[in-house]
Amino acid sequence: LEKVRANDIALKRKPTDQRRFLVVEGLYRNWGTLAPLKEIVALKEEFHYRLILDDSQAMGTLGENGRGTLEHFGLSPMVHAEIVTFSLENAFGSIGGMTVGNEEVVDHQRLSGAGYCFSASSPPFLCKVGVASVRRIQGKLNHANHTNNAAAHETEEELSGQLLLKRLTQNTTKIYATLTDSSHPHALKLRNRLVITSHPLSPLIYLRLSDEEATSRTRGEQTLIMDKIAGRCFLEAGVAIVSTGGHVKKYLQLVPEPCLRITANVSQEEDDIEALVRALGDAVQSVFK
């Protein structure tokens, strides 16, 4: 940014003469880390940029009301981020995506995207799914459309609104805590083998090989180890963990390390988390024999 500003000065060009954008993810899909949005916003205001925020992983999972990383950091869309875009395929269980912005952005999008309104629009039932998911996160479920069973009503109420988000946070925290519990017999099997690299609030939990294990191994060898661990977890314990070492690397400016990815969700119970840590510990112990 400083080099661009120096170039502007040399060319006697105002920083506002061009449209310039900073493009970041709020919660990084391949890393599970949070972007430092307050610092990024300060930079974009200092250097006269606009911010495009892809919040696909955080929308519906972070923030007091599930409104993503902007809400998590106490920031606002259209004020601190001119464009916010997110996929409906994650927390909302549909397909497609949404883009929101100020009036200038929306008008430009409407004009430029007019040709896609009929050729690429979502089917009505998937739009309905997205709306239902938003209402659930907001705690505005219409129970008249569900069963009259009182127990079912109670369950629905427990898993909507802020209680839904609280449950996700609790499960995420529980997974982190159990994986790092030095007194847990199966978590101990991970010590000096795997380390967590994702943010503690991220429902996408990433584990890579420890420095001790990774230093003498090539990327291919690290990927093979992760593949074996994930395979054993699934085949021997029925626990699905993703090995991420097979990224399409040539299209990435920064290639992630081979990792295991665990996804927290609201349907997980304490027994599920115990089964996860048990399966992972046993798999690690078996692979590193």
Side-chain angles (χ1 to χ4, degrees):
L1 298 180
E2 291 175 343
K3 288 181 180 179
V4 173
R5 181 163 63 181
N7 193 39
D8 286 340
I9 295 173
L11 296 174
K12 297 181 179 180
R13 180 175 58 196
K14 295 180 181 179
T16 54
D17 286 346
Q18 296 177 323
R19 293 177 180 176
R20 296 172 177 172
F21 299 91
L22 296 177
V23 184
V24 301
E25 290 183 72
L27 173 59
Y28 279 89
R29 170 72 171 76
N30 290 332
W31 305 87
T33 53
L34 286 177
L37 284 187
K38 287 188 176 181
E39 291 82 353
I40 291 172
V41 168
L43 285 173
K44 72 106 175 175
E45 291 176 350
E46 177 184 353
F47 290 93
H48 303 282
Y49 280 66
R50 296 173 181 173
L51 178 60
I52 299 177
L53 174 65
D54 183 344
D55 222 13
S56 295
Q57 310 303 321
M59 195 66 70
T61 63
L62 291 182
E64 183 179 357
N65 299 293
R67 295 177 182 173
T69 47
L70 285 173
E71 184 179 52
H72 172 73
F73 286 107
L75 303 173
S76 302
M78 294 173 280
V79 176
H80 300 105
E82 284 73 15
I83 301 174
V84 179
T85 182
F86 56 93
S87 171
L88 296 174
E89 298 177 13
N90 300 316
F92 299 94
S94 186
I95 65 170
M98 292 284 292
T99 299
V100 296
N102 57 29
E103 185 177 359
E104 179 185 8
V105 169
V106 171
D107 285 345
H108 182 275
Q109 187 82 348
R110 184 180 291 116
L111 290 172
S112 300
Y116 297 97
C117 288
F118 299 101
S119 62
S121 58
S122 296
F125 74 92
L126 286 172
C127 295
K128 187 72 173 179
V129 170
V131 171
S133 296
V134 170
R135 291 182 62 84
R136 183 168 194 149
I137 292 172
Q138 292 177 326
K140 297 180 180 179
L141 283 175
N142 182 5
H143 296 303
N145 294 330
H146 298 282
T147 177
N148 291 323
N149 184 281
H153 286 182
E154 183 179 357
T155 301
E156 292 285 358
E157 289 172 357
E158 288 175 353
L159 292 178
S160 65
Q162 291 190 342
L163 290 175
L164 180 76
L165 298 165
K166 182 179 179 181
R167 175 69 174 273
L168 177 61
T169 301
Q170 288 174 339
N171 283 353
T172 301
T173 302
K174 178 65 175 177
I175 293 174
Y176 274 94
T178 308
L179 287 171
T180 56
D181 185 356
S182 59
S183 64
H184 195 290
H186 294 283
L188 279 173
K189 299 176 183 179
L190 309 180
R191 179 174 291 184
N192 299 325
R193 303 290 193 187
L194 300 178
V195 294
I196 298 176
T197 59
S198 47
H199 192 279
L201 290 178
S202 170
L204 298 176
I205 302 163
Y206 282 84
L207 300 96
R208 66 165 176 83
L209 289 179
S210 65
D211 291 340
E212 180 181 347
E213 294 293 344
T215 300
S216 61
R217 292 184 168 95
T218 65
R219 178 183 176 85
E221 291 170 338
Q222 294 179 42
T223 299
L224 182 60
I225 289 174
M226 295 305 198
D227 288 346
K228 288 181 178 179
I229 293 173
R232 285 184 177 273
C233 286
F234 184 71
L235 295 175
E236 297 178 6
V239 174
I241 297 177
V242 178
S243 174
T244 67
H247 283 96
V248 182
K249 297 178 282 296
K250 64 179 180 180
Y251 297 114
L252 299 178
Q253 184 175 359
L254 185 61
V255 179
E257 299 167 295
C259 287
L260 297 174
R261 184 177 72 234
I262 300 167
T263 304
N265 64 65
V266 296
S267 65
Q268 292 160 334
E269 302 289 346
E270 188 167 340
D271 289 346
D272 298 321
I273 297 173
E274 284 295 322
L276 160 69
V277 178
R278 186 186 312 113
L280 184 58
D282 289 345
V284 168
Q285 185 179 54
S286 177
V287 169
F288 282 98
K289 276 184 178 178

